[in-house]
Amino acid sequence: MVLRSDAVVIGSGFGGAAPALRLAEAGAQVTIVEQGPRMPPSAMRRTQDPRYLQQHLLSLGDEQTSINLARTWGGASPWYEMMSLRAPSVAFARTDATGRRRWPEGLDRRTLAPWYALAETTLGVAPLAEDRVPRTGQVFAWMLANQGMAAARVPMAVQGCQGAGYCWSGCVFGAKRSLDRTYLPAAEAAGAVARVGATVHAVEPMAGGYRLAASDADGQPIVLEAPTVVLAGGVVGSAALLLRSRRALPGLSPTVGQGIGLNNRAVVLGLLPADAPQVDNFTGPSQAGIITWDLLEPHGMVLWPAKPLPLMFMATGRGQRPGERSWGAQHIAWMKHFRRRGLMLIAQGPGPTAAELRLEGGEPVLRTVDQPAQETAAGERKRWEGVIRDLLARAGAEVIELHPRDLQGRDRPDTFIGNSHVVGSCRMDPDPARGVVGLDGQVHGHPGLWISDASTLPSPTGVNPSLTILANAERIAAGIVEAVA
């Protein structure tokens, strides 16, 4: 079966939703291909059960680097904590080992400002209302104020929050302003057609456009044809598709799959004194709603409190008092205070671009290729941990030692980095020898073939990258609409 349209958008996450909507609004016949299922609120669960989460959230990596992925209608947006932060200016000014600026000239926070604003308006982003800030966020703000630091309420894409506390497992109340509740319904209302559960296997040029070999939700082969194709399958999906299609796309940049980076992150858990204001790690949104930017200039990091539920916390790290065991009666004793006195702080900043994507046996694998960069990032985390420990000590808190481990219970190496804040693999650069797409998002040497997702971002943003991915996708989408018109 051959299906023809004006444009095919592969992926419905933060990189694909904007081109799908803007092209449909411009009158184009748009087909959106999404490998994952629709997940309405009725399909979500308030649970810590890993079997449920592993149905929809995937990981890929090696002993040094691990990235988290989501395959659902709306990409990762049904699962994220709704933090919608503009990347700080310093993230755009980062340079590589030769001193060359990673982000293309002419693309920075200032030039992205109107696209940030458009994304924020469409999502309905606003700082969390003061009376909706969870107790944990309020206590963090109290601690900052006592130490002469400023607290800011986190801009979030949320409406009608019930305070259930399971944001990361999907909102059963539909309070998230995720893409499946904003951009994508608007795109379908404008005429876009969704093929949910379908997978694109290869792309090749044809007269007047591109032909996509795909399979539908029932596994039956289909062919999609369009003059305009937008790849938005994310860091893994877009790069893997290009690698599989390399023979059909002559002149494709040799950098496909390279330059994958994650935000660097340090986590420290403090046990507040009994006479301090109490937190509550089990109620309210799982994002505590408060962040401080005061540590960005002196230390290169932003800082906010996390609210992990017990199983989520224990699945990824062992916590113990110095000199005590991480299990048994001693562990139980301090864990009884976790809900009301446990303040877990996360420091984050731009991390290394030290991994690359390859195909092995036709399947994507992630490999760490720059061990020195990983070691430099590990040293930075140690410095950040020291800063956080000092903040907690001044608040009278006792620091609980954390020992990260994998899901098999094995200790992680000190150089390990793993999170969902991943960018790169099809980087923007005007030089095809250094990047897969130009500043406009069009694949070098292949007019009509575009990439608009996280894979195009040249380096990590230092904060949750979702809003930057979406803003950049809005910018690229405007160019696609102009080119198609």
Side-chain angles (χ1 to χ4, degrees):
M1 179 170 58
V2 179
L3 304 173
R4 297 181 176 87
S5 55
D6 297 326
V8 175
V9 179
I10 305 171
S12 63
F14 287 106
L21 173 58
R22 304 311 173 193
L23 281 164
E25 287 178 333
Q29 293 179 320
V30 179
T31 299
I32 309 170
V33 181
E34 171 53 57
Q35 191 173 21
R38 294 181 188 266
M39 290 291 290
S42 60
M44 298 294 187
R45 291 175 55 192
R46 296 169 64 184
T47 180
Q48 300 178 67
D49 187 343
R51 292 169 297 183
Y52 160 74
L53 297 172
Q54 289 171 352
Q55 292 176 20
H56 309 290
L57 306 178
L58 314 171
S59 62
L60 190 69
D62 57 19
E63 292 184 353
Q64 296 291 326
T65 306
S66 178
I67 61 177
N68 303 323
L69 313 167
R71 287 180 179 169
T72 44
W73 178 244
S77 70
W79 310 98
Y80 81 136
E81 291 185 323
M82 304 156 294
M83 286 181 81
S84 301
L85 300 167
R86 298 189 183 194
S89 296
V90 293
F92 298 95
R94 287 173 64 85
T95 58
D96 60 21
T98 67
R100 187 177 187 270
R101 191 174 182 268
R102 291 186 180 275
W103 286 74
E105 291 295 333
L107 188 58
D108 53 26
R109 178 178 168 122
R110 182 184 59 81
T111 55
L112 274 179
W115 309 111
Y116 274 129
L118 178 58
E120 290 162 345
T121 299
T122 309
L123 286 178
V125 172
L128 192 63
E130 191 169 355
D131 63 352
R132 301 296 297 176
V133 174
R135 284 290 305 164
T136 300
Q138 294 174 28
V139 172
F140 179 57
W142 163 83
M143 187 186 81
L144 292 174
N146 285 345
Q147 300 187 36
M149 299 173 62
R153 283 177 287 134
V154 174
M156 299 179 70
V158 61
Q159 186 176 51
C161 177
Q162 302 298 305
Y166 285 83
C167 306
W168 48 269
S169 67
C171 184
V172 301
F173 301 104
K176 290 185 183 182
R177 296 282 293 167
S178 47
L179 300 172
D180 57 321
R181 302 183 67 78
T182 52
Y183 275 81
L184 296 172
E188 290 186 286
V193 175
R195 302 200 71 87
V196 178
T199 302
V200 176
H201 307 291
V203 55
E204 64 177 1
M206 56 172 281
Y210 293 88
R211 179 179 294 113
L212 310 176
S215 54
D216 220 335
D218 57 3
Q220 295 299 309
I222 57 174
V223 174
L224 304 170
E225 295 180 349
T228 299
V229 171
V230 183
L231 306 188
V235 168
V236 173
S238 292
L241 181 56
L242 288 180
L243 289 172
R244 292 191 183 102
S245 308
R246 187 185 287 279
R247 291 185 180 180
L249 298 170
L252 193 64
S253 172
T255 67
V256 174
Q258 298 177 10
I260 295 176
L262 293 84
N263 282 333
N264 203 10
R265 179 179 290 180
V267 182
V268 179
L269 174 62
L271 199 62
L272 294 168
D275 60 353
Q278 289 190 333
V279 303
D280 189 345
N281 288 318
F282 297 174
T283 61
S286 58
Q287 217 305 313
I290 295 293
I291 189 171
T292 182
W293 300 88
D294 284 8
L295 300 170
L296 184 60
E297 185 172 342
H299 299 291
M301 70 185 204
V302 295
L303 186 67
W304 71 86
K307 293 177 56 192
L309 293 173
L311 184 59
M312 183 182 180
F313 167 51
M314 293 307 299
T316 55
R318 292 176 298 171
Q320 63 192 81
R321 280 180 160 137
E324 294 186 354
R325 293 176 175 175
S326 63
W327 51 274
Q330 292 177 326
H331 177 75
I332 292 172
W334 80 258
M335 276 295 289
K336 288 180 178 180
H337 301 296
F338 179 76
R339 175 176 181 174
R340 300 295 185 183
R341 292 172 55 195
L343 184 61
M344 179 176 283
L345 299 181
I346 295 180
Q348 189 167 277
T353 51
E356 71 177 32
L357 191 81
R358 306 169 183 169
L359 294 183
E360 294 184 4
E363 295 300 317
V365 296
L366 190 77
R367 295 288 181 256
T368 304
V369 295
D370 191 344
Q371 187 62 28
Q374 294 284 106
E375 293 170 357
T376 298
E380 185 175 47
R381 287 196 298 277
K382 289 294 183 184
R383 291 191 293 274
W384 291 351
E385 289 171 5
V387 173
I388 303 172
R389 286 170 178 265
D390 288 345
L391 291 173
L392 289 170
R394 289 196 290 271
E398 173 190 356
V399 173
I400 301 296
E401 293 181 352
L402 297 179
H403 301 278
R405 59 184 178 180
D406 63 21
L407 294 179
Q408 285 71 48
R410 298 170 298 200
D411 287 339
R412 297 283 197 188
D414 291 342
T415 51
F416 174 81
I417 298 180
N419 56 66
S420 58
H421 297 177
V422 57
V423 301
S425 79
C426 298
R427 294 175 296 176
M428 287 182 290
D429 196 287
D431 182 358
R434 301 180 62 92
V436 179
V437 300
L439 186 60
D440 60 356
Q442 193 163 209
V443 176
H444 288 300
H446 296 280
L449 183 61
W450 311 75
I451 309 179
S452 59
D453 56 28
S455 70
T456 66
L457 303 190
S459 66
T461 59
V463 297
N464 185 321
S466 60
L467 191 68
T468 301
I469 298 166
L470 184 56
N472 190 55
E474 286 279 21
R475 182 187 66 84
I476 290 173
I480 299 174
V481 169
E482 183 178 352
V484 170

